[in-house]
Every structure is written in structure tokens, then in C-alpha cells.
Amino acid sequence: MVEQGLIRAAQTGDRDALITLLREIETHVYRTAYYILNNEQDAMDAAQEALIRIYTKIDSYEEKAQFKTWVQRIVTNICIDKFRRNKPTVSIEEHELVFQGKESVEREVMSGYLAQDIREAIDQLPEHHRMVVVLRYLQDFSYSEIADSLNLPLNTVKSYLFRARQQLQHLLQDYQKGGVSG
């Protein structure tokens, strides 16, 4: 969590404070963009755009909202715009396995399949469901923080999460039965 003193100093024009603030949030901003866009290059572009927007708009931040919620709203809006401009594509990433022993390799392969299948299942969700899943389970936002970030009523967030979990459960039913798709 970013301390309020650093935010206030950045708002008053302290360049070092602003740079420190941006460095503290850049990983969070990139991670959010990556989970939403599912493409490293697009996520880097969106994160850079978000950091520039935060840099130029820091004086418009008001303390009535949490700073991380304000940042999240900026990142999310940029990602939504980017997502709508570029229709989503499926990217296949190369993964290196370190062969240490049969059990380790098998466990690593299985865990790789699971992570890939979960990522693909999340990608299949409608945009509004994917957004709340990313914020709740990958960014660890509370329901009210998600509502604030996405400018949605709290009950809508709960409803989206409920429906998204149902869809994920259906999409990942092979794992529930003990099988692996892939």
C-alpha cells in the first residue's frame, strides 16, 4: 500500500516522490493489464499508458477514494479501450521445463496444463465477468474495491462473480473429474 504522504508530495510537484510512487505501483499496473489483455506486449503498452496518465493526472486524485482503486480504474479503462480496439487473440507462450527428476517434471507439466487451462477458461469469459475475476482473484480486491474500480453497483459485482464462477466451473469440469484437457 502506498503511503498518503508520498501521494501528497507527488501532487504538490515533488518529482522524486512522483517517480517513487510510479515505481511502487508499476508491477501492479502491469500485472492487471496482463491479466486483462493476456498479451505481454499489449500489457506493456497499456501499463505504460496508464503510468503516463497517472503521472499527468496525479493532481486530480482525491483522497475520498483509495489510491489503488483510482489507479485500478485508470488501468482498467485503458485495457478496456485496448481490448475493444484489438479483438482478443490466443497467444501460445513457450515454457521451459527444468528436468530435475521424473516426479518433478510430471508435477511441473501438470501444473503448467492447469495454469494454461485456467488462463484459457478466464479468457473465454465475457469481458465484464473476466474483469471482476481478475480483480477479485488475481489482484485480491474486495467486492467494494471492484465496484469502485469498475464504477458498478456492489450487487452487480457479486452477481458477475457468481456467474463467472459458474462458467469457470463448467469450463474446468475436466479437473473436477480428475482429468486434464490438453
Side-chain angles (χ1 to χ4, degrees):
M1 178 167 256
V2 179
E3 61 180 78
Q4 290 297 326
L6 185 61
I7 296 167
R8 284 189 204 105
Q11 287 180 307
T12 61
D14 182 337
R15 191 174 189 293
D16 291 335
L18 184 55
I19 291 169
T20 302
L21 178 66
L22 292 173
R23 284 193 178 133
E24 283 188 25
I25 64 171
E26 70 183 336
T27 301
H28 170 76
V29 168
Y30 170 77
R31 186 176 24 194
T32 299
Y34 182 79
Y35 282 122
I36 293 171
L37 298 170
N38 193 29
N39 178 296
E40 185 176 348
Q41 190 61 48
D42 288 344
M44 287 170 49
D45 291 346
Q48 181 177 2
E49 189 177 333
L51 290 170
I52 290 169
R53 191 166 301 168
I54 292 163
Y55 178 84
T56 59
K57 303 283 185 186
I58 189 70
D59 57 333
S60 69
Y61 167 69
E62 298 175 5
E63 288 187 32
K64 54 186 171 184
Q66 286 188 23
F67 184 72
K68 78 174 188 175
T69 304
W70 182 75
V71 168
Q72 190 64 47
R73 183 174 288 162
I74 290 171
V75 176
T76 302
N77 288 339
I78 288 170
C79 289
I80 289 170
D81 290 344
K82 217 172 206 351
F83 188 77
R84 287 182 181 149
R85 278 190 305 248
N86 310 332
K87 295 295 179 191
T89 58
V90 177
S91 66
I92 299 173
E93 298 178 21
E94 294 183 30
H95 297 281
E96 287 185 27
L97 291 177
V98 177
F99 294 96
Q100 297 172 353
K102 286 184 179 179
E103 293 172 6
S104 175
V105 171
E106 183 177 333
R107 195 173 27 250
E108 208 166 321
V109 168
M110 295 305 284
S111 125
Y113 277 133
L114 176 60
Q116 180 181 352
D117 286 351
I118 290 171
R119 180 76 236 160
E120 288 173 3
I122 291 172
D123 287 344
Q124 291 178 41
L125 295 174
E127 180 182 328
H128 55 282
H129 288 171
R130 183 174 48 253
M131 300 295 275
V132 296
V133 165
V134 166
L135 294 177
R136 179 70 184 126
Y137 297 110
L138 302 176
Q139 296 295 340
D140 202 30
F141 272 46
S142 70
Y143 287 10
S144 61
E145 289 171 334
I146 295 169
D148 288 344
S149 292
L150 299 178
N151 203 21
L152 294 171
L154 183 60
N155 285 334
T156 301
V157 169
K158 290 178 182 179
S159 173
Y160 284 178
L161 277 170
F162 177 78
R163 290 186 187 130
R165 282 191 299 263
Q166 285 181 319
Q167 290 171 318
L168 287 172
Q169 187 173 24
H170 174 72
L171 291 168
L172 296 169
Q173 63 189 352
D174 287 342
Y175 284 99
Q176 294 171 341
K177 295 176 185 170
V180 176
S181 66

